[in-house]
Amino acid sequence: EDKVVQSPLSLVVHEGDTVTLNCSYEVTNFRSLLWYKQEKKAPTFLFMLTSSGIEKKSGRLSSILDKKELFSILNITATQTGDSAVYLCAAQAISYDKVIFGPGTSLSVIP
Amino acid sequence: NAGVTQTPKFQVLKTGQSMTLQCAQDMNHNSMYWYRQDPGMGLRLIYYSASEGTTDKGEVPNGYNVSRLNKREFSLRLESAAPSQTSVYFCASARYTEAFFGQGTRLTVV
């Protein structure tokens, strides 16, 4: 059965800390790994990863995929209170007919 | 650019009532999805539709039905609402890129 697991489920850090969020997946005919940030409303897209070992960066956020070990990490450096959110990881099948989400990591950044 | 539009945004139902959540996308996407989100559970897939005319069950389909009316529209129906269906519902669509989400429907069943 397809599944996506994230860890930790919740995390509290101080501003300026660096955090690493983990995502592992088992999805038939895997194509890509997606990261989303969810604050109060709908998830907003962060990254799509399709190739192993190639880091994607956007400001203080970066992510990498390991297709051999079936996991991905999302790093956030120099965290700010605005980074407080739930970070969702999802695995997309090659036929685009399934996008399976993990439970999310709830990140709280305190001043 | 409307993207994915969901209606209604909020709804309160009594146990046993029925209702349909509407979703439409204007991005010419083939795939559409319905998720529910409960605290600590992430997004759980209820049903998905890989293309017009096809629908498939996801992780938590019980108590729901769907219709892919055309390429743009994918509706979710609760025939007899139960308190366990109190949740936030998200519709999403995708083609060759990431999934795009509607703004969600907060449903309360009392």
Side-chain angles (χ1 to χ4, degrees):
Chain A
E1 186 176 329
D2 297 335
K3 66 179 179 181
V4 176
V5 176
Q6 291 185 247
S7 66
L9 294 181
S10 67
L11 190 56
V12 180
V13 300
H14 287 96
E15 268 191 317
D17 287 350
T18 293
V19 299
T20 297
L21 310 183
N22 304 295
C23 174
S24 63
Y25 62 90
E26 292 178 31
V27 170
T28 306
N29 296 323
F30 172 82
R31 178 191 181 272
S32 54
L33 194 290
L34 310 171
W35 282 99
Y36 288 84
K37 178 182 181 182
Q38 186 177 27
E39 295 173 270
K40 294 296 183 185
K41 295 188 177 178
T44 54
F45 174 72
L46 293 174
F47 297 111
M48 171 184 271
L49 303 153
T50 55
S51 302
S52 270
I54 298 175
E55 186 182 52
K56 290 214 171 180
K57 287 197 71 156
S58 177
R60 296 176 291 102
L61 277 66
S62 63
S63 184
I64 197 161
L65 174 67
D66 185 327
K67 290 171 78 171
K68 183 179 175 186
E69 300 297 329
L70 308 183
F71 79 89
S72 175
I73 60 172
L74 175 69
N75 281 320
I76 308 175
T77 59
T79 51
Q80 303 171 357
T81 54
D83 295 326
S84 296
V86 174
Y87 290 84
L88 296 163
C89 164
Q92 187 176 43
I94 200 162
S95 56
Y96 308 99
D97 60 355
K98 266 191 181 180
V99 181
I100 303 294
F101 280 82
T105 294
S106 176
L107 174 66
S108 297
V109 181
I110 54 179
Chain B
N1 264 354
V4 180
T5 304
Q6 274 182 249
T7 56
K9 288 189 170 56
F10 301 94
Q11 183 71 50
V12 178
L13 290 178
K14 293 183 178 178
T15 298
Q17 286 185 317
S18 62
M19 80 161 294
T20 300
L21 307 185
Q22 307 286 353
C23 176
Q25 51 93 8
D26 61 2
M27 296 174 283
N28 201 35
H29 287 168
N30 290 327
S31 298
M32 296 187 73
Y33 315 86
W34 276 105
Y35 293 91
R36 61 177 288 174
Q37 187 171 36
D38 304 293
M41 304 287 286
L43 288 159
R44 291 186 292 168
L45 184 62
I46 305 172
Y47 272 92
Y48 64 97
S49 170
S51 62
E52 183 180 350
T54 69
T55 61
D56 286 282
K57 294 178 180 179
E59 305 164 72
V60 288
N62 291 344
Y64 305 96
N65 284 302
V66 290
S67 295
R68 185 73 182 267
L69 304 167
N70 47 55
K71 194 170 187 179
R72 290 187 65 248
E73 299 172 288
F74 188 38
S75 62
L76 177 72
R77 182 159 179 85
L78 287 71
E79 289 292 351
S80 179
S84 61
Q85 294 177 305
T86 293
S87 188
V88 179
Y89 292 84
F90 287 101
C91 174
S93 71
R95 192 173 180 190
Y96 301 126
T97 59
E98 71 276 16
F100 292 84
F101 285 85
Q103 287 304 299
T105 297
R106 185 172 293 276
L107 175 67
T108 302
V109 183
V110 297

